[in-house]
């Protein structure tokens, strides 16, 4: 079964043009001003505990919210040489966590090698998967490879109902995701004492903010168990970032201004202080270095003051670098904050 | 075409504080307190607000609380049921007043 969607048109794929739209939206203050008011400018890295490696933009899906604009028609894919450079940096620096993303990282032929070598180095390895790719015959064995290497799986599942998920990710995606999640549970993922962790990722089905993470996690846990018999460890809520394909949606649906004003109005200095870019480095498919995967999607490389490629990685320079900010960063600083690990602030019910 | 209801006017709601700032502050303080988590969760309160907004047919409130309900994690099915609750109460309220009609008709007739 092919779950590939017809790739949407990409009229806003020019990164500079995307940033212009975000800068010129009426009623939205440049985010740098907000960081200044909060006493957080320049925002600096406070060390690197995560290397996030984007293995490429190739994907079997073309989700409506994808900031990478990944899809079956993309060809960008990390070479073995660049993967080797990532492993050398991991070995030489002691960065404890490798976070692998894409696109669909499974579609990069070097994924298995990267995982196994990183595990040999004693690193914690996480893979971000769209789940459905693990149903394709030639990639199905990767689920076992994840389990053998105790890879922490972070799986996209925008909602616990098919209609909402398929509207965002394509017809048939939800059912395929459920089948793969059942298989992951059979392998031990999400089961107590197995040591195999699987976390789900919720993101809003449109131009609105995510709910409080603890609240939607409780509901997901109940509904995923009740409806499908599926268990998982944690649910991460992510805010849709107004770039890439999601920016196209915002513009085509007439939601751009309202959404940006909503994000900017929800700017939270406490969340801004904890943004994920301060503790990670993001590696692009071609070895370029970025502060985060969103900056990567926009081609906003790290500050010019630091070596810009994985092959000339310099931890001393990078771990105190100033972070490159622009108005898309409002997505990570709104409300309880948003990061690849979900909300950065936790608010509990009474 | 002009209309009494302009979506952009929702953002002008705070201008109602200009003529009577103390009353505005008191109202907003109360309003915000009402929507805090309490004996009811924020999500339940958003759904109640959405239902009331439909009962009142306030387009500003419908827009605000559609977004709020989504941001509290409700889905379209749950929100539609909330609107049906409003419709049922409104319909029931009309129908139960039929008893008045019957009483009056009974009093006026032979």
């Amino acid at each position: 079964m092919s779950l590939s969607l017809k790739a949407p048109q990409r009229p806003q794929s020019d990164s500079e043009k995307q940033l212009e739209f975000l800068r010129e939206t009426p009623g939205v203050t440049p985010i740098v001003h907000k960081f200044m008011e909060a006493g957080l400018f320049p925002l600096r890295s406070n060390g690197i505990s995560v290397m996030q490696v984007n293995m490429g933009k190739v994907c079997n899906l073309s989700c409506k919210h994808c900031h990478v604009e990944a899809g079956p028609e993309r060809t960008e894919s990390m070479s073995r040489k660049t993967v080797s450079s990532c492993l050398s940096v991991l070995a030489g620096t002691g960065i404890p966590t490798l976070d692998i993303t894409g696109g669909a990282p499974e579609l990069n032929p070097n994924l298995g090698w990267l995982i196994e070598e990183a595990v040999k180095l004693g690193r914690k390895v996480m893979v971000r998967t769209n789940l459905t790719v693990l149903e394709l015959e030639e990639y199905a064995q990767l689920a076992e490879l994840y389990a053998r290497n105790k890879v922490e799986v972070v799986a996209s599942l925008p909602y616990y109902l098919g209609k909402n998920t398929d509207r965002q990710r394509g017809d048939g995606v939800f059912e395929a995701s459920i089948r793969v999640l059942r298989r992951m549970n059979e392998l031990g993922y999400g089961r107590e004492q197995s040591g195999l962790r699987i976390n789900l990722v919720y993101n809003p089905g449109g131009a609105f903010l995510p709910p409080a993470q603890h609240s939607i996690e409780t509901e997901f846990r109940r509904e995923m168990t009740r409806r499908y018999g599926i268990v998982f460890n944690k649910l991460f809520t992510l805010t849709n970032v107004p770039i890439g394909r999601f920016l196209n949606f915002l513009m085509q649906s007439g939601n751009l201004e309202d959404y940006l004003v909503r994000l900017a109005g929800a700017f939270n200095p406490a969340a801004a202080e904890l943004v994920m870019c301060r503790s990670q480095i993001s590696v692009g498919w071609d070895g370029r270095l970025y502060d985060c995967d969103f900056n990567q999607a926009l081609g906003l490389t790290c500050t010019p003051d630091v070596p810009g490629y994985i092959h000339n990685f310099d931890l001393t320079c990078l771990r105190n670098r100033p972070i490159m900010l622009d108005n898309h960063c409002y997505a990570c600083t709104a409300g309880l904050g948003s990061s690849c690990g979900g909300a950065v602030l936790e608010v509990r019910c009474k | 075409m002009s209309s009494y209801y302009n979506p952009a006017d929702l953002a002008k709601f705070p201008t109602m504080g200009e003529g009577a700032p103390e009353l505005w502050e008191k109202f907003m303080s109360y309003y915000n307190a009402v929507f805090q988590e309490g004996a009811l969760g924020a999500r339940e309160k958003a759904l109640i607000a959405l239902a009331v907004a439909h009962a009142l047919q306030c387009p500003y409130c419908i827009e605000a609380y559609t977004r709020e309900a989504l941001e509290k994690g409700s889905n379209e099915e749950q929100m539609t049921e909330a609107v049906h609750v409003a419709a049922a109460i409104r319909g029931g309220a009309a129908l139960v007043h039929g008893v008045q009609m019957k009483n009056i008709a009974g009093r006026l007739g032979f």
Side-chain angles (χ1 to χ4, degrees):
Chain A
M1 172 179 66
S2 169
L3 290 164
S4 300
L5 303 175
K6 187 168 176 284
Q9 289 185 309
R10 300 168 51 219
Q12 307 311 334
S13 58
D14 178 83
S15 302
E16 193 52 40
K17 198 191 282 186
Q18 290 188 48
L19 286 168
E20 274 173 34
F21 283 123
L22 302 183
R23 290 170 189 153
E24 291 168 7
T25 301
V28 177
T29 313
I31 199 166
V32 167
H33 296 183
K34 298 270 192 178
F35 274 86
M36 284 175 177
E37 286 165 18
L40 290 169
F41 191 80
L43 185 72
R44 288 191 174 274
S45 168
N46 50 22
I48 299 176
S49 56
V50 177
M51 178 195 283
Q52 187 171 72
V53 173
N54 189 313
M55 299 204 74
K57 299 176 193 275
V58 188
C59 191
N60 58 314
L61 304 180
S62 299
C63 300
K64 287 180 183 171
H65 68 292
C66 183
H67 64 277
V68 176
E69 296 180 87
E73 80 288 0
R74 302 303 293 258
T75 54
E76 302 92 329
S77 189
M78 187 175 275
S79 68
R80 192 171 178 90
K81 187 177 172 202
T82 303
V83 171
S84 177
S85 297
C86 293
L87 287 165
S88 299
V89 170
L90 282 174
T93 59
I95 294 172
T97 300
L98 170 66
D99 181 344
I100 305 170
T101 187
E106 290 90 346
L107 298 180
N108 184 305
N110 302 298
L111 176 67
W113 179 61
L114 173 59
I115 288 170
E116 286 171 338
E117 293 303 309
V119 168
K120 282 181 202 165
L121 292 170
R123 301 297 180 260
K124 176 187 172 181
V125 179
M126 302 161 70
V127 171
R128 296 178 184 273
T129 180
N130 69 31
L131 293 170
T132 64
V133 70
L134 295 169
E135 269 216 327
L136 304 175
E137 196 178 344
E138 59 268 48
Y139 307 104
Q141 86 291 347
L142 285 168
E144 281 80 10
L145 183 139
Y146 294 163
R148 270 199 315 277
N149 290 281
K150 294 210 167 350
V151 170
E152 184 170 312
V153 172
V154 182
S156 304
L157 194 76
Y159 208 64
Y160 57 77
L161 297 174
K163 187 177 82 173
N164 305 64
T165 299
D166 287 6
R167 202 186 279 165
Q168 185 175 142
R169 308 190 71 207
D171 290 343
V173 167
F174 183 75
E175 287 301 325
S177 300
I178 293 298
R179 287 192 295 269
V180 172
L181 283 169
R182 286 199 178 112
R183 191 168 145 229
M184 299 309 277
N185 281 173
E186 284 164 13
L187 288 167
Y189 273 99
R191 304 282 182 201
E192 278 183 44
Q193 263 107 46
S194 70
L196 297 174
R197 294 184 62 81
I198 185 161
N199 304 315
L200 303 183
V201 176
Y202 162 99
N203 67 283
F208 51 94
L209 297 185
Q213 188 166 282
H214 67 85
S215 150
I216 195 77
E217 180 181 72
T218 302
E219 188 175 352
F220 255 68
R221 204 176 294 288
R222 182 185 67 237
E223 297 299 325
M224 291 297 286
T225 305
R226 185 172 72 88
R227 292 168 186 263
Y228 316 109
I230 286 167
V231 292
F232 61 93
N233 295 94
K234 281 191 71 65
L235 180 83
F236 298 153
T237 56
L238 264 69
T239 301
N240 289 326
V241 181
I243 60 175
R245 218 171 270 142
F246 187 60
L247 177 59
N248 282 345
F249 161 77
L250 290 172
M251 295 180 78
Q252 286 167 6
S253 61
N255 280 304
L256 177 61
E257 189 176 332
D258 281 354
Y259 186 69
L260 278 188
V261 167
R262 179 83 185 94
L263 288 181
F267 179 85
N268 183 349
E273 196 168 356
L274 297 172
V275 281
M276 66 182 177
C277 48
R278 300 188 80 182
S279 58
Q280 70 165 37
I281 192 76
S282 164
V283 187
W285 68 274
D286 57 356
R288 279 197 178 90
L289 300 180
Y290 304 86
D291 295 323
C292 71
D293 205 55
F294 306 118
N295 281 10
Q296 184 180 142
L298 286 166
L300 269 181
T301 50
C302 287
T303 176
D305 310 334
V306 299
Y309 280 88
I310 191 71
H311 63 258
N312 56 9
F313 192 93
D314 185 334
L315 184 61
T316 308
C317 289
L318 286 163
R319 66 183 164 202
N320 191 39
R321 72 191 186 281
I323 303 294
M324 303 296 283
L325 298 167
D326 215 311
N327 280 3
H328 63 292
C329 303
Y330 272 122
C332 290
T333 58
L336 300 177
S338 178
S339 75
C340 289
V344 297
L345 298 169
E346 194 54 88
V347 175
R348 287 272 162 209
C349 298
K350 286 175 192 169
Chain B
M1 191 179 78
S2 63
S3 162
Y4 284 113
Y5 289 119
N6 177 358
D9 286 346
L10 179 55
K12 298 177 188 168
F13 187 26
T15 63
M16 287 307 297
E18 291 164 7
E22 283 182 23
L23 292 177
W24 174 258
E25 286 301 321
K26 282 186 164 74
F27 174 77
M28 286 313 293
S29 170
Y30 166 76
Y31 189 97
N32 290 327
V34 163
F35 282 97
Q36 294 298 309
E37 295 259 355
L40 287 172
R43 180 179 159 147
E44 286 84 358
K45 289 180 179 184
L47 282 172
I48 293 168
L50 183 69
V52 173
H54 281 80
L56 294 174
Q57 293 175 333
C58 166
Y60 300 122
C61 309
I62 290 170
E63 176 165 349
Y65 283 96
T66 297
R67 186 187 303 271
E68 185 69 12
L70 287 167
E71 292 191 351
K72 291 291 181 275
S74 294
N75 61 47
E76 209 173 313
E77 287 78 1
Q78 292 159 338
M79 290 157 67
T80 304
E81 283 190 21
V83 173
H84 275 289
V85 171
I89 295 295
R90 283 208 73 153
L95 206 53
V96 75
H97 279 76
V99 177
Q100 304 269 358
M101 173 274 290
K102 289 173 73 69
N103 288 345
I104 294 164
R107 197 175 67 235
L108 294 176
F110 291 112

